[in-house]
Amino acid sequence: MSFRTTPSVDYVEDVSPGSGALPPRAWYASSDARSLSLNGSWRFRLSATAGAEDDSFAEEGYDAGNWAEVTVPGHWVLQGDGAFGSPIYTNHLYPFPVDPPYVPTENPTGDHLRVFDLPSDWPSDGGAVLRFDGIESCARVWLNGTELGEFKGSRLAHEFAVGELLKPGGNVLAVRVHQWSAGSYLEDQDQWWLPGIFRDVTLLHRPSGGAGDFFVHASYDHTTGEGTLRVDSDVDGRVTVPALDIDVATGEPVTVAVQPWTAETPKLYDGVLVTDGERVPLRIGFRTVVLEDGLIKVNGKAVLFKGVNRHEWHPEHGRALDLETMREDVLLMKRHNLNAVRTSHYPPHPAFLDLCDEYGLWVIDECDLETHGFTEQDWRDNPVDDDRWTPALLDRAARMVERDKNHPSIVFWSLGNEAGTGRGLTAMAEWIHGRDPERLVHYEGDWNCRDTDVYSRMYAFHDEVEKIGQQLDGGTLRRRELPFIQCEYAHAMGNGPGGLADYQELFEKYERLQGAFVWEWIDHGVRHAELGYAYGGDFGEELHDGNFVCDGLVFPDRTPSPGLIEYKKVIEPVRIEGDGANGIVHVTNKQDFADLSALAFEWSCQVDGETVESGSLAVPALAPGESAEVKLPEPPVDGRGGERQWTVRALLADDTTWAAMGHVVAWGQFAAGARPLPSIPATDRPVRDGGRITLGPAGFDARTGALLTIGGVEVGATPRLDVWRAPTDNDDGAEWQTDTRYGTLWRTLGLHRMRHRLVSVEAGDDALTVRTRVAPAAREVGLDTVYRWTSDGERLRLTVSVTPQGDWTVPLPRLGVRFGLTEADRVEWFGGGPGEAYPDTGKASMVGRWQSTVDGLQTPYVRPQENGARADVRWVELGGLRIEGDPEFWFTARRWTTEQLDAARHRTDLTAGDTVWVNLDHGQHGIGSQSCGPGPLPRYFLKAEPAEFSFVFSTTR
């Protein structure tokens, strides 16, 4: 009789951080010591449980020839075309029973093998270190058959001493990775669960006398303009900074005149740490971060964060990002006026922080800690309040701080996210304050601010934010004395976020409010052959949170969304306001540190959206906070009598590291005269001929009053009142906001199934009048609607009058008319553009002449929803028609109906039909950010009240 003993996997459910790893130390990208990347193709075997296989695969000579292959860095569930399992998305619910520290027996486990040779010139002296920059969620490591140790802490670096184990050729590196472990309870971030070796694996030569750990202290005294540098090192050496004539021993301070580092002026000095065995390049930024006078100050000045939360994401590779993808993120942030990033909810790849240093972004570096799922049991058994877990928490804090401590961009250490409160967090804060008193500590969940240096909140509504700014919010004395930030706000899910400008107005009004971070940077859509981009539930997960993972300012392919374009406008570093009537421009420098010398200004004058003249504008190099009034030139003489306006732009005067000369940083636009409204006399009269009525260029159905043709343009569906829009993620709202989820309220009322009852068709002397009642089934409320058609013989005017009947208790989604055209492709319009805009998302909408295709008007949200409306439209031309509005209107055109858009779950569900459906809207309900935050402010509600609006139709053929 024989039996097989299951290998011991007790370490998987051990609450300790692991064993065998070296103490954490500063991370640096390069030195003159040799290194060998072990990234690339690895042999791979997947098991269903943690103990399914023994450790023999780690031995030298093991034959893994029949194993599969995966790429490292990478996640195995994103490779192998589904053969290695699938991603799982949850927002905060653990996808396994909450039974800490235990995890299910069904625990996907990936054995990884890499055989490598040392380069022929690999040094024979000294030692070597094997570094793993990120493995989810628990790893056990062997080299040449010798176990090195095991560890948890997925987004943190771990190193092992391996010098004595290396040989010139045939080195066998074996890594066993478990998807679930006790560490998973500490990593319940709002993201995909993606096991694997997803960051770099590197072998580092450690020469005798080589640099070990070091800490660059580089402070700045704003009163003297001097910086003080001291580099503490556990190996004696010298520090040289040629540009500052510095040559000093480690541990010795030196004070010299310097240019400080800020996010606006990211001045870095190149230096070198020289020890007996190694030269390590340093990039030194001098800056001082303090909490003073109740404010966060850098270099003596209060800062205003215009930030974003950034998960690491790539639609094909998950959290395995290469350097160029990270650089693309930073460049996009800089080009859209962001100045800060919170590394939600874990330390990023350290190369990202190098880029923040180089290009200039304030950073809140967040620990790899979240236990959000314990909210389901009122935080009972929460690890952060259980002393058994405190060593793991302290290990995570230390690995973050020690790895990242030499980055000037980091101004806050964050303890983690949504982990409740408890003794473990206090221990982390105390350790961090003691280790690095030169930075501040952040944690949103500590509302009493016992352990933190800032009062931080998520999704506080506008009225509460204003009270906090006025210091009327109450709370502990400690809290009332601290500055306030919103570490998450303006949930960028789908169409939105709305209300950004209203928040920014508050941030700039009250000194205590020091800015906010939009949630979040990128949609976490997974590239999918059939769906385009997949989200939660698309992989058959038994528990998931749908498309809540797609809530970014950029789409999965990093195309900026309208939300990012809006954010760029709202947080412009230069405010440009003006009065077109008197030709005065008011310019304000809204930066904290830089003057305006890097910018050039230009003006242009438009008539009916077309530029008739332009030139440069002399604006002083205003210091931060300063303003000036600048006179525009005399208006150009032009014979046309159309609508006039001025546009003033602030552009980069020269190339920078993050954008080319001419990049638009800010702009302002102001009218120079009133718009002439369309007016046509009602000189033609309706003529009936059998079943058809002719009025000017138009033909109507005599029985129904339906418009059939205008000139030679066939109308596929007559214009009629439309109040429904495919609800946005923000319309549908978060599940916990049960009282004000407008999408739900609209469906309950039946606005998605309105019925039209024809009351009468009246052909009078000068007009064709069609009276209807529009109402939802099962309800007594309705909208009495009158369509009045008139013509001057060539043009056709439609005036729509709407009178609500009954008790309307909810706002309308939209109010306008919808009709169909059988042919339409190219679109040209005079109004807001080039992108979409809604009542509370329209700051970035610039009035001008714009062109597109019908397909180009669509915004490709991962989950289809209302999109693509152009605001403030004076006229639009498409399908042979020209449509003018009185007053301005919202315009939308698409190749599918609103109902089809509403039913779609992915863009691939939308199939173009033979009709182009056109909406001409008198009003739209605001957007808000109620997918997690507040809904639209009341001033953006579209109330059901009497309204009248007109459109003038003519042909362009």
Side-chain angles (χ1 to χ4, degrees), residues 493-495 523 531 533-535 546-548 550 555-556 726-733 747 859-867 901-910:
M493 186 176 178
N495 188 334
D523 286 343
L531 303 177
Y533 291 109
Y535 50 76
N547 69 310
F548 201 69
C550 295
F555 297 127
T728 67
D729 292 312
N730 289 305
D731 289 338
D732 283 338
R747 288 187 195 278
T859 304
Y861 295 114
V862 174
R863 185 191 74 81
Q865 56 198 271
E866 166 63 32
N867 74 90
L901 184 64
D902 187 14
R905 288 299 166 261
H906 296 86
R907 287 187 55 79
T908 51
D909 295 334
L910 295 169

mmCIF file of all heavy atoms in Angstrom, residues 493-495 523 531 533-535 546-548 550 555-556 726-733 747 859-867 901-910:
data_model
loop_
_atom_site.group_PDB
_atom_site.id
_atom_site.type_symbol
_atom_site.label_atom_id
_atom_site.label_comp_id
_atom_site.label_asym_id
_atom_site.label_seq_id
_atom_site.Cartn_x
_atom_site.Cartn_y
_atom_site.Cartn_z
ATOM 1 N N MET A 493 -16.771 57.370 -14.467
ATOM 2 C CA MET A 493 -17.316 56.137 -15.042
ATOM 3 C C MET A 493 -18.263 56.487 -16.181
ATOM 4 O O MET A 493 -19.232 57.230 -16.002
ATOM 5 C CB MET A 493 -18.048 55.341 -13.963
ATOM 6 C CG MET A 493 -18.545 53.979 -14.408
ATOM 7 S SD MET A 493 -19.283 53.102 -12.996
ATOM 8 C CE MET A 493 -19.815 51.594 -13.812
ATOM 9 N N GLY A 494 -17.969 55.973 -17.367
ATOM 10 C CA GLY A 494 -18.825 56.252 -18.497
ATOM 11 C C GLY A 494 -18.872 57.730 -18.816
ATOM 12 O O GLY A 494 -17.874 58.452 -18.707
ATOM 13 N N ASN A 495 -20.038 58.198 -19.233
ATOM 14 C CA ASN A 495 -20.220 59.602 -19.595
ATOM 15 C C ASN A 495 -20.113 60.468 -18.342
ATOM 16 O O ASN A 495 -20.933 60.387 -17.442
ATOM 17 C CB ASN A 495 -21.594 59.765 -20.250
ATOM 18 C CG ASN A 495 -21.807 61.144 -20.824
ATOM 19 O OD1 ASN A 495 -21.223 62.118 -20.384
ATOM 20 N ND2 ASN A 495 -22.674 61.223 -21.820
ATOM 21 N N ASP A 523 -9.842 53.212 -17.822
ATOM 22 C CA ASP A 523 -10.799 52.105 -17.851
ATOM 23 C C ASP A 523 -10.032 50.787 -17.870
ATOM 24 O O ASP A 523 -9.176 50.576 -18.737
ATOM 25 C CB ASP A 523 -11.659 52.166 -19.120
ATOM 26 C CG ASP A 523 -12.704 53.260 -19.093
ATOM 27 O OD1 ASP A 523 -13.008 53.771 -18.006
ATOM 28 O OD2 ASP A 523 -13.215 53.594 -20.177
ATOM 29 N N LEU A 531 -15.951 40.923 -27.771
ATOM 30 C CA LEU A 531 -16.658 42.000 -27.080
ATOM 31 C C LEU A 531 -15.999 43.358 -27.239
ATOM 32 O O LEU A 531 -16.556 44.358 -26.800
ATOM 33 C CB LEU A 531 -16.772 41.666 -25.583
ATOM 34 C CG LEU A 531 -17.464 40.352 -25.235
ATOM 35 C CD1 LEU A 531 -17.425 40.119 -23.733
ATOM 36 C CD2 LEU A 531 -18.896 40.344 -25.751
ATOM 37 N N TYR A 533 -13.924 45.204 -25.540
ATOM 38 C CA TYR A 533 -13.318 45.218 -24.209
ATOM 39 C C TYR A 533 -14.256 44.531 -23.235
ATOM 40 O O TYR A 533 -15.458 44.804 -23.208
ATOM 41 C CB TYR A 533 -13.043 46.658 -23.736
ATOM 42 C CG TYR A 533 -11.943 47.343 -24.512
ATOM 43 C CD1 TYR A 533 -12.240 48.378 -25.388
ATOM 44 C CD2 TYR A 533 -10.616 46.949 -24.377
ATOM 45 C CE1 TYR A 533 -11.241 49.010 -26.114
ATOM 46 C CE2 TYR A 533 -9.612 47.576 -25.098
ATOM 47 C CZ TYR A 533 -9.928 48.596 -25.962
ATOM 48 O OH TYR A 533 -8.937 49.216 -26.685
ATOM 49 N N ALA A 534 -13.704 43.629 -22.451
ATOM 50 C CA ALA A 534 -14.487 42.897 -21.458
ATOM 51 C C ALA A 534 -14.384 43.585 -20.106
ATOM 52 O O ALA A 534 -13.399 44.262 -19.798
ATOM 53 C CB ALA A 534 -13.978 41.461 -21.351
ATOM 54 N N TYR A 535 -15.425 43.381 -19.290
ATOM 55 C CA TYR A 535 -15.415 43.877 -17.918
ATOM 56 C C TYR A 535 -15.984 42.801 -17.015
ATOM 57 O O TYR A 535 -16.140 41.639 -17.428
ATOM 58 C CB TYR A 535 -16.153 45.219 -17.802
ATOM 59 C CG TYR A 535 -17.531 45.286 -18.427
ATOM 60 C CD1 TYR A 535 -18.636 44.706 -17.815
ATOM 61 C CD2 TYR A 535 -17.735 45.975 -19.622
ATOM 62 C CE1 TYR A 535 -19.898 44.794 -18.372
ATOM 63 C CE2 TYR A 535 -19.004 46.077 -20.192
ATOM 64 C CZ TYR A 535 -20.081 45.482 -19.564
ATOM 65 O OH TYR A 535 -21.342 45.577 -20.105
ATOM 66 N N GLY A 546 -19.427 44.023 -12.491
ATOM 67 C CA GLY A 546 -19.750 44.557 -13.805
ATOM 68 C C GLY A 546 -18.729 45.528 -14.346
ATOM 69 O O GLY A 546 -17.515 45.335 -14.242
ATOM 70 N N ASN A 547 -19.234 46.614 -14.935
ATOM 71 C CA ASN A 547 -18.345 47.582 -15.579
ATOM 72 C C ASN A 547 -17.892 48.680 -14.627
ATOM 73 O O ASN A 547 -17.364 49.702 -15.062
ATOM 74 C CB ASN A 547 -19.024 48.199 -16.798
ATOM 75 C CG ASN A 547 -20.183 49.114 -16.441
ATOM 76 O OD1 ASN A 547 -21.061 48.726 -15.666
ATOM 77 N ND2 ASN A 547 -20.208 50.306 -16.983
ATOM 78 N N PHE A 548 -18.060 48.453 -13.320
ATOM 79 C CA PHE A 548 -17.562 49.420 -12.341
ATOM 80 C C PHE A 548 -16.038 49.553 -12.437
ATOM 81 O O PHE A 548 -15.461 50.509 -11.932
ATOM 82 C CB PHE A 548 -17.966 48.976 -10.932
ATOM 83 C CG PHE A 548 -17.969 50.074 -9.907
ATOM 84 C CD1 PHE A 548 -18.904 51.091 -9.949
ATOM 85 C CD2 PHE A 548 -17.038 50.078 -8.880
ATOM 86 C CE1 PHE A 548 -18.913 52.097 -8.991
ATOM 87 C CE2 PHE A 548 -17.040 51.078 -7.916
ATOM 88 C CZ PHE A 548 -17.976 52.091 -7.974
ATOM 89 N N CYS A 550 -14.564 50.049 -15.192
ATOM 90 C CA CYS A 550 -14.316 50.967 -16.305
ATOM 91 C C CYS A 550 -14.752 52.358 -15.892
ATOM 92 O O CYS A 550 -15.877 52.792 -16.169
ATOM 93 C CB CYS A 550 -15.070 50.504 -17.554
ATOM 94 S SG CYS A 550 -14.468 48.920 -18.183
ATOM 95 N N PHE A 555 -9.712 55.865 -22.062
ATOM 96 C CA PHE A 555 -10.251 54.558 -22.422
ATOM 97 C C PHE A 555 -9.142 53.504 -22.305
ATOM 98 O O PHE A 555 -7.969 53.843 -22.135
ATOM 99 C CB PHE A 555 -10.837 54.611 -23.830
ATOM 100 C CG PHE A 555 -11.996 55.567 -23.968
ATOM 101 C CD1 PHE A 555 -12.010 56.553 -24.948
ATOM 102 C CD2 PHE A 555 -13.076 55.500 -23.102
ATOM 103 C CE1 PHE A 555 -13.076 57.440 -25.063
ATOM 104 C CE2 PHE A 555 -14.141 56.374 -23.201
ATOM 105 C CZ PHE A 555 -14.140 57.351 -24.184
ATOM 106 N N PRO A 556 -9.482 52.219 -22.403
ATOM 107 C CA PRO A 556 -8.455 51.198 -22.193
ATOM 108 C C PRO A 556 -7.231 51.339 -23.093
ATOM 109 O O PRO A 556 -6.126 50.974 -22.701
ATOM 110 C CB PRO A 556 -9.206 49.890 -22.469
ATOM 111 C CG PRO A 556 -10.623 50.195 -22.128
ATOM 112 C CD PRO A 556 -10.833 51.615 -22.565
ATOM 113 N N ALA A 726 -30.410 56.850 -23.291
ATOM 114 C CA ALA A 726 -29.863 55.617 -22.736
ATOM 115 C C ALA A 726 -29.102 55.979 -21.473
ATOM 116 O O ALA A 726 -28.086 56.667 -21.541
ATOM 117 C CB ALA A 726 -28.941 54.951 -23.757
ATOM 118 N N PRO A 727 -29.588 55.547 -20.298
ATOM 119 C CA PRO A 727 -28.992 56.046 -19.061
ATOM 120 C C PRO A 727 -27.485 55.825 -19.003
ATOM 121 O O PRO A 727 -26.960 54.770 -19.378
ATOM 122 C CB PRO A 727 -29.716 55.244 -17.976
ATOM 123 C CG PRO A 727 -31.035 54.929 -18.576
ATOM 124 C CD PRO A 727 -30.748 54.676 -20.033
ATOM 125 N N THR A 728 -26.801 56.846 -18.528
ATOM 126 C CA THR A 728 -25.368 56.745 -18.309
ATOM 127 C C THR A 728 -25.113 55.971 -17.020
ATOM 128 O O THR A 728 -26.020 55.742 -16.212
ATOM 129 C CB THR A 728 -24.739 58.135 -18.190
ATOM 130 O OG1 THR A 728 -25.209 58.752 -16.985
ATOM 131 C CG2 THR A 728 -25.105 59.013 -19.385
ATOM 132 N N ASP A 729 -23.858 55.578 -16.819
ATOM 133 C CA ASP A 729 -23.510 54.945 -15.546
ATOM 134 C C ASP A 729 -23.845 55.868 -14.382
ATOM 135 O O ASP A 729 -24.258 55.412 -13.312
ATOM 136 C CB ASP A 729 -22.020 54.597 -15.524
ATOM 137 C CG ASP A 729 -21.680 53.490 -16.509
ATOM 138 O OD1 ASP A 729 -22.390 52.473 -16.515
ATOM 139 O OD2 ASP A 729 -20.712 53.644 -17.263
ATOM 140 N N ASN A 730 -23.687 57.161 -14.589
ATOM 141 C CA ASN A 730 -24.005 58.109 -13.528
ATOM 142 C C ASN A 730 -25.503 58.292 -13.359
ATOM 143 O O ASN A 730 -25.979 58.525 -12.244
ATOM 144 C CB ASN A 730 -23.315 59.443 -13.815
ATOM 145 C CG ASN A 730 -21.814 59.366 -13.628
ATOM 146 O OD1 ASN A 730 -21.336 58.981 -12.570
ATOM 147 N ND2 ASN A 730 -21.060 59.702 -14.658
ATOM 148 N N ASP A 731 -26.266 58.210 -14.447
ATOM 149 C CA ASP A 731 -27.729 58.220 -14.313
ATOM 150 C C ASP A 731 -28.199 57.038 -13.472
ATOM 151 O O ASP A 731 -29.071 57.167 -12.607
ATOM 152 C CB ASP A 731 -28.398 58.140 -15.685
ATOM 153 C CG ASP A 731 -28.250 59.409 -16.503
ATOM 154 O OD1 ASP A 731 -28.014 60.477 -15.922
ATOM 155 O OD2 ASP A 731 -28.367 59.315 -17.742
ATOM 156 N N ASP A 732 -27.642 55.871 -13.744
ATOM 157 C CA ASP A 732 -28.061 54.678 -13.016
ATOM 158 C C ASP A 732 -27.629 54.719 -11.562
ATOM 159 O O ASP A 732 -28.304 54.149 -10.699
ATOM 160 C CB ASP A 732 -27.496 53.425 -13.692
ATOM 161 C CG ASP A 732 -28.257 53.055 -14.951
ATOM 162 O OD1 ASP A 732 -29.427 53.484 -15.084
ATOM 163 O OD2 ASP A 732 -27.697 52.356 -15.800
ATOM 164 N N GLY A 733 -26.530 55.382 -11.267
ATOM 165 C CA GLY A 733 -26.132 55.625 -9.880
ATOM 166 C C GLY A 733 -25.611 54.390 -9.178
ATOM 167 O O GLY A 733 -25.752 53.258 -9.627
ATOM 168 N N ARG A 747 -37.011 54.948 -15.360
ATOM 169 C CA ARG A 747 -37.601 53.689 -15.826
ATOM 170 C C ARG A 747 -38.880 53.382 -15.056
ATOM 171 O O ARG A 747 -39.865 52.875 -15.626
ATOM 172 C CB ARG A 747 -36.601 52.547 -15.673
ATOM 173 C CG ARG A 747 -35.456 52.594 -16.649
ATOM 174 C CD ARG A 747 -34.596 51.343 -16.542
ATOM 175 N NE ARG A 747 -33.316 51.500 -17.190
ATOM 176 C CZ ARG A 747 -33.112 51.358 -18.500
ATOM 177 N NH1 ARG A 747 -34.133 51.054 -19.287
ATOM 178 N NH2 ARG A 747 -31.909 51.521 -19.016
ATOM 179 N N THR A 859 -18.982 58.562 -28.875
ATOM 180 C CA THR A 859 -17.947 58.400 -27.860
ATOM 181 C C THR A 859 -17.933 56.932 -27.445
ATOM 182 O O THR A 859 -18.943 56.411 -26.987
ATOM 183 C CB THR A 859 -18.223 59.288 -26.640
ATOM 184 O OG1 THR A 859 -18.333 60.649 -27.070
ATOM 185 C CG2 THR A 859 -17.090 59.177 -25.635
ATOM 186 N N PRO A 860 -16.790 56.254 -27.574
ATOM 187 C CA PRO A 860 -16.772 54.787 -27.403
ATOM 188 C C PRO A 860 -16.662 54.340 -25.947
ATOM 189 O O PRO A 860 -15.692 53.695 -25.555
ATOM 190 C CB PRO A 860 -15.535 54.384 -28.207
ATOM 191 C CG PRO A 860 -14.607 55.536 -28.064
ATOM 192 C CD PRO A 860 -15.494 56.763 -28.062
ATOM 193 N N TYR A 861 -17.654 54.677 -25.137
ATOM 194 C CA TYR A 861 -17.648 54.176 -23.766
ATOM 195 C C TYR A 861 -17.712 52.649 -23.792
ATOM 196 O O TYR A 861 -18.392 52.054 -24.630
ATOM 197 C CB TYR A 861 -18.818 54.754 -22.979
ATOM 198 C CG TYR A 861 -18.708 56.250 -22.801
ATOM 199 C CD1 TYR A 861 -19.622 57.120 -23.392
ATOM 200 C CD2 TYR A 861 -17.666 56.801 -22.058
ATOM 201 C CE1 TYR A 861 -19.511 58.493 -23.246
ATOM 202 C CE2 TYR A 861 -17.549 58.180 -21.914
ATOM 203 C CZ TYR A 861 -18.471 59.015 -22.513
ATOM 204 O OH TYR A 861 -18.338 60.372 -22.365
ATOM 205 N N VAL A 862 -16.983 52.020 -22.865
ATOM 206 C CA VAL A 862 -16.888 50.561 -22.866
ATOM 207 C C VAL A 862 -18.271 49.936 -22.731
ATOM 208 O O VAL A 862 -18.601 48.977 -23.423
ATOM 209 C CB VAL A 862 -15.937 50.085 -21.755
ATOM 210 C CG1 VAL A 862 -15.937 48.563 -21.658
ATOM 211 C CG2 VAL A 862 -14.517 50.590 -22.016
ATOM 212 N N ARG A 863 -19.099 50.482 -21.828
ATOM 213 C CA ARG A 863 -20.512 50.078 -21.799
ATOM 214 C C ARG A 863 -21.309 51.162 -22.508
ATOM 215 O O ARG A 863 -21.320 52.313 -22.077
ATOM 216 C CB ARG A 863 -21.030 49.919 -20.373
ATOM 217 C CG ARG A 863 -22.472 49.373 -20.337
ATOM 218 C CD ARG A 863 -23.104 49.454 -18.973
ATOM 219 N NE ARG A 863 -23.488 50.795 -18.594
ATOM 220 C CZ ARG A 863 -24.621 51.408 -18.992
ATOM 221 N NH1 ARG A 863 -25.451 50.808 -19.809
ATOM 222 N NH2 ARG A 863 -24.889 52.626 -18.574
ATOM 223 N N PRO A 864 -21.972 50.858 -23.610
ATOM 224 C CA PRO A 864 -22.695 51.879 -24.364
ATOM 225 C C PRO A 864 -23.731 52.598 -23.497
ATOM 226 O O PRO A 864 -24.391 51.990 -22.645
ATOM 227 C CB PRO A 864 -23.358 51.080 -25.490
ATOM 228 C CG PRO A 864 -22.475 49.889 -25.666
ATOM 229 C CD PRO A 864 -22.004 49.543 -24.281
ATOM 230 N N GLN A 865 -23.879 53.892 -23.752
ATOM 231 C CA GLN A 865 -24.801 54.745 -23.007
ATOM 232 C C GLN A 865 -24.918 56.063 -23.745
ATOM 233 O O GLN A 865 -24.247 56.293 -24.751
ATOM 234 C CB GLN A 865 -24.284 54.971 -21.585
ATOM 235 C CG GLN A 865 -22.871 55.549 -21.511
ATOM 236 C CD GLN A 865 -22.240 55.346 -20.147
ATOM 237 O OE1 GLN A 865 -22.390 56.175 -19.265
ATOM 238 N NE2 GLN A 865 -21.544 54.220 -19.981
ATOM 239 N N GLU A 866 -25.776 56.948 -23.244
ATOM 240 C CA GLU A 866 -25.931 58.271 -23.846
ATOM 241 C C GLU A 866 -24.571 58.921 -24.040
ATOM 242 O O GLU A 866 -23.743 58.965 -23.137
ATOM 243 C CB GLU A 866 -26.820 59.148 -22.969
ATOM 244 C CG GLU A 866 -26.795 60.627 -23.303
ATOM 245 C CD GLU A 866 -27.311 60.947 -24.705
ATOM 246 O OE1 GLU A 866 -28.212 60.231 -25.194
ATOM 247 O OE2 GLU A 866 -26.816 61.913 -25.310
ATOM 248 N N ASN A 867 -24.358 59.449 -25.243
ATOM 249 C CA ASN A 867 -23.058 60.048 -25.559
ATOM 250 C C ASN A 867 -23.196 60.909 -26.797
ATOM 251 O O ASN A 867 -24.196 60.851 -27.508
ATOM 252 C CB ASN A 867 -22.005 58.956 -25.797
ATOM 253 C CG ASN A 867 -22.184 58.253 -27.128
ATOM 254 O OD1 ASN A 867 -21.623 58.667 -28.151
ATOM 255 N ND2 ASN A 867 -22.984 57.182 -27.145
ATOM 256 N N LEU A 901 -29.252 51.510 -28.189
ATOM 257 C CA LEU A 901 -28.114 51.941 -27.381
ATOM 258 C C LEU A 901 -28.329 51.540 -25.927
ATOM 259 O O LEU A 901 -27.405 51.057 -25.250
ATOM 260 C CB LEU A 901 -27.936 53.456 -27.494
ATOM 261 C CG LEU A 901 -26.732 54.080 -26.798
ATOM 262 C CD1 LEU A 901 -25.428 53.591 -27.402
ATOM 263 C CD2 LEU A 901 -26.822 55.611 -26.877
ATOM 264 N N ASP A 902 -29.544 51.696 -25.446
ATOM 265 C CA ASP A 902 -29.884 51.357 -24.067
ATOM 266 C C ASP A 902 -29.735 49.858 -23.810
ATOM 267 O O ASP A 902 -29.311 49.430 -22.732
ATOM 268 C CB ASP A 902 -31.315 51.814 -23.793
ATOM 269 C CG ASP A 902 -31.721 51.671 -22.345
ATOM 270 O OD1 ASP A 902 -30.834 51.471 -21.483
ATOM 271 O OD2 ASP A 902 -32.926 51.768 -22.056
ATOM 272 N N ALA A 903 -30.066 49.054 -24.797
ATOM 273 C CA ALA A 903 -30.042 47.597 -24.614
ATOM 274 C C ALA A 903 -28.641 47.017 -24.726
ATOM 275 O O ALA A 903 -28.392 45.898 -24.255
ATOM 276 C CB ALA A 903 -30.958 46.933 -25.645
ATOM 277 N N ALA A 904 -27.713 47.733 -25.342
ATOM 278 C CA ALA A 904 -26.376 47.198 -25.592
ATOM 279 C C ALA A 904 -25.575 47.121 -24.302
ATOM 280 O O ALA A 904 -25.686 47.976 -23.427
ATOM 281 C CB ALA A 904 -25.647 48.066 -26.612
ATOM 282 N N ARG A 905 -24.751 46.101 -24.203
ATOM 283 C CA ARG A 905 -23.849 45.954 -23.062
ATOM 284 C C ARG A 905 -22.399 46.125 -23.471
ATOM 285 O O ARG A 905 -21.539 46.373 -22.642
ATOM 286 C CB ARG A 905 -24.068 44.582 -22.410
ATOM 287 C CG ARG A 905 -25.393 44.508 -21.655
ATOM 288 C CD ARG A 905 -25.439 45.529 -20.522
ATOM 289 N NE ARG A 905 -26.787 45.724 -19.967
ATOM 290 C CZ ARG A 905 -27.578 46.739 -20.296
ATOM 291 N NH1 ARG A 905 -27.177 47.639 -21.196
ATOM 292 N NH2 ARG A 905 -28.762 46.866 -19.751
ATOM 293 N N HIS A 906 -22.118 45.946 -24.757
ATOM 294 C CA HIS A 906 -20.793 46.195 -25.299
ATOM 295 C C HIS A 906 -20.971 46.887 -26.643
ATOM 296 O O HIS A 906 -22.030 46.770 -27.282
ATOM 297 C CB HIS A 906 -19.998 44.895 -25.475
ATOM 298 C CG HIS A 906 -19.708 44.196 -24.186
ATOM 299 N ND1 HIS A 906 -20.600 43.318 -23.611
ATOM 300 C CD2 HIS A 906 -18.638 44.254 -23.356
ATOM 301 C CE1 HIS A 906 -20.089 42.855 -22.475
ATOM 302 N NE2 HIS A 906 -18.906 43.410 -22.302
ATOM 303 N N ARG A 907 -19.947 47.560 -27.088
ATOM 304 C CA ARG A 907 -20.071 48.271 -28.361
ATOM 305 C C ARG A 907 -20.320 47.319 -29.523
ATOM 306 O O ARG A 907 -20.932 47.701 -30.528
ATOM 307 C CB ARG A 907 -18.824 49.118 -28.607
ATOM 308 C CG ARG A 907 -18.768 50.352 -27.718
ATOM 309 C CD ARG A 907 -17.618 51.263 -28.086
ATOM 310 N NE ARG A 907 -17.627 51.660 -29.473
ATOM 311 C CZ ARG A 907 -18.407 52.614 -29.992
ATOM 312 N NH1 ARG A 907 -19.273 53.254 -29.207
ATOM 313 N NH2 ARG A 907 -18.330 52.919 -31.275
ATOM 314 N N THR A 908 -19.863 46.094 -29.386
ATOM 315 C CA THR A 908 -20.100 45.127 -30.456
ATOM 316 C C THR A 908 -21.568 44.728 -30.557
ATOM 317 O O THR A 908 -21.968 44.077 -31.525
ATOM 318 C CB THR A 908 -19.232 43.876 -30.236
ATOM 319 O OG1 THR A 908 -19.416 43.397 -28.892
ATOM 320 C CG2 THR A 908 -17.763 44.191 -30.444
ATOM 321 N N ASP A 909 -22.379 45.100 -29.564
ATOM 322 C CA ASP A 909 -23.821 44.836 -29.634
ATOM 323 C C ASP A 909 -24.535 45.821 -30.562
ATOM 324 O O ASP A 909 -25.702 45.604 -30.909
ATOM 325 C CB ASP A 909 -24.462 44.952 -28.244
ATOM 326 C CG ASP A 909 -23.966 43.884 -27.287
ATOM 327 O OD1 ASP A 909 -23.546 42.816 -27.767
ATOM 328 O OD2 ASP A 909 -23.991 44.124 -26.062
ATOM 329 N N LEU A 910 -23.865 46.899 -30.932
ATOM 330 C CA LEU A 910 -24.486 47.947 -31.728
ATOM 331 C C LEU A 910 -24.230 47.690 -33.215
ATOM 332 O O LEU A 910 -23.077 47.592 -33.645
ATOM 333 C CB LEU A 910 -23.941 49.323 -31.331
ATOM 334 C CG LEU A 910 -24.270 49.758 -29.900
ATOM 335 C CD1 LEU A 910 -23.459 50.990 -29.517
ATOM 336 C CD2 LEU A 910 -25.768 50.044 -29.769
#
